[in-house]
Amino acid sequence: MSTPAPGLNEVLQRTFAFPKPHFLSVTDLNEVEVANLLDLAESFVALNRQTSKKLDLLAGRTLMNLFFENSTRTQSSFELAGKRLGADVVNMSPRSSSIAKGETLIDTAVTLNAMQPDLLVVRHASSGAASLLSQKVTCSVVNAGDGQHEHPTQALLDALSMRRACGRIAGLKVAICGDIAHSRVARSNIAMLQMLGAEVRLVGPPTLMPSQVDRWNVAVHHDMRKGIAGCDVVMMLRLQLERMDGVMAPSQREYFRFWGLDREKLAHAAPNVKVMHPGPMNRGVEIDSDVADDLTVSLIQDQVEMGVAARMAVLATLAARLDNER
Ligand code: CP
């Protein structure tokens, strides 16, 4: 095991137990609990930048990744997070499992649960899937994205990236732009950013706004330049064509003209604006490469890095809760 990074020992002594047995939604946390998780994640950032990155907080624990939808960032960062904390990590691929033979979601989860994992990280195309599984298993379930509903660890890593780049979250003006209707990232971010005191605006075409957006207590803009005017953070979302039933957006070229983030539109935001995108990006559709790759404004690679630290904080605190239950 490595020597903990400066300050890590102190934080680890303060590692608290997660408030609930599962992490299914941003609403499982309150403002203080989010701040504690961000502080813990911050110390894992330092650890992850060391040559030796291993701790034994999860030694003896088993983490199973069960991803029914494709993932690059979330799955690999949960795997790294588990391994860096000393857990045994198993990645279950539905394509090569008995799901391909027709085994149901619940039977799959109950079967895996019989192998006594401690933590089950689930991504599924159906809203509510992680919550449903949490009622069928005895281990802790983490929602790694359920349909259009929530992606709570994405909101946590986004908050960490924003806090590091801007020094605070309270009072920031944050524009979330693009395909809001199909975005679990938007839903989790709105809940977390409002909890932490940011002003959230939604920007996009009417066809890509949720039908009940007027109940969300956020300003909605259908003009990109006006929507991002004066914003400290512009968070772009992927156009999720795979979730669209019919034609909800114009051609990709036309979409980019009206809703794609380029230098000209970005000039309407605050002078020190930061640009975010959860990935994967459609370059030239919702964001111009010139903006995405400019490290003076783009936090996109920071978001990926913060994903490992934020997920380590979630796993460590869920494991601390399991330890307390012994
Ligand atoms: N942001 C995100 O969830 O990315 P992946 O789909 O690659 O996990």
Side-chain angles (χ1 to χ4, degrees):
M1 295 295 151
S2 65
T3 307
L8 188 57
N9 268 332
E10 189 197 333
V11 179
L12 292 180
Q13 280 163 15
R14 290 191 281 122
T15 299
F16 53 97
F18 201 83
K20 297 200 172 161
H22 311 287
F23 188 24
L24 304 174
S25 163
V26 166
T27 57
D28 289 330
L29 300 170
N30 63 31
E31 185 184 346
V32 172
E33 289 156 353
V34 171
N36 286 341
L37 275 174
L38 294 178
D39 290 344
L40 183 58
E42 192 70 56
S43 48
F44 289 131
V45 175
L47 176 79
N48 288 337
R49 289 180 176 180
Q50 291 188 166
T51 309
S52 179
K53 302 167 175 62
K54 292 272 263 187
L55 291 176
D56 58 5
L57 283 176
L58 264 65
R61 297 285 184 194
T62 302
L63 164 69
M64 284 188 172
N65 271 328
L66 183 55
F67 278 61
F68 292 86
E69 279 188 331
N70 293 343
S71 170
T72 296
R73 283 146 283 267
T74 312
Q75 180 166 352
S76 52
S77 60
F78 268 113
E79 182 176 357
L80 277 176
K83 287 179 173 171
R84 287 181 184 174
L85 293 173
D88 295 318
V89 180
V90 176
N91 288 312
M92 268 281 309
S93 166
R95 276 186 214 94
S96 58
S97 74
S98 289
I99 292 162
K101 301 179 203 161
E103 192 161 42
T104 66
L105 167 67
I106 291 175
D107 282 344
T108 303
V110 169
T111 299
L112 295 176
N113 187 58
M115 298 179 203
Q116 305 290 330
D118 302 287
L119 298 144
L120 187 61
V121 178
V122 181
R123 170 172 286 190
H124 197 278
S126 299
S127 299
S131 174
L132 177 67
L133 291 195
S134 73
Q135 296 160 33
K136 307 287 179 188
V137 299
T138 51
C139 58
S140 286
V141 174
V142 182
N143 182 4
D146 62 326
Q148 296 169 197
H149 176 230
E150 278 232 33
H151 194 351
T153 60
Q154 178 73 43
L156 194 66
L157 76 88
D158 287 340
L160 182 62
S161 306
M162 232 176 269
R163 196 178 76 163
R164 288 171 62 87
C166 304
R168 70 191 202 290
I169 294 176
L172 289 180
K173 291 187 175 72
V174 181
I176 304 179
C177 307
D179 182 359
I180 311 290
H182 301 100
S183 179
R184 54 197 178 206
V185 173
R187 285 166 177 78
S188 288
N189 261 298
I190 292 165
M192 184 162 291
L193 290 168
Q194 289 188 332
M195 187 197 306
L196 299 177
E199 176 194 318
V200 182
R201 303 176 191 177
L202 302 182
V203 183
T207 49
L208 293 178
M209 287 290 165
S211 56
Q212 309 212 320
V213 73
D214 49 333
R215 298 191 190 166
W216 286 16
N217 192 29
V218 283
V220 176
H221 294 263
H222 300 306
D223 178 305
M224 181 88 173
R225 292 169 187 81
K226 286 184 185 158
I228 68 174
C231 279
D232 304 292
V233 177
V234 176
M235 183 183 291
M236 299 308 299
L237 297 176
R238 185 169 67 88
L239 195 58
Q240 298 193 51
L241 296 170
E242 76 278 16
R243 294 194 198 280
M244 296 182 192
D245 288 337
V247 179
M248 301 179 78
S251 71
Q252 296 192 352
R253 182 191 290 216
E254 201 176 344
Y255 185 86
F256 181 74
R257 190 157 77 85
F258 287 101
W259 305 107
L261 187 66
D262 57 14
R263 292 276 180 200
E264 184 277 319
K265 294 191 193 82
L266 190 60
H268 291 76
N272 293 321
V273 64
K274 296 297 177 193
V275 172
M276 302 178 73
H277 192 307
M281 284 183 280
N282 295 309
R283 291 171 181 266
V285 179
E286 70 262 358
I287 192 164
D288 192 359
S289 287
D290 183 39
V291 173
D293 298 335
D294 178 353
L295 298 182
T296 65
V297 297
S298 172
L299 299 183
I300 296 169
Q301 291 310 314
D302 298 73
Q303 287 172 269
V304 177
E305 180 184 0
M306 295 312 127
V308 181
R311 287 165 179 136
M312 287 171 80
V314 169
L315 296 179
T317 52
L318 280 167
R321 184 185 174 94
L322 294 173
D323 291 341
N324 290 349
E325 284 171 357
R326 264 191 197 149

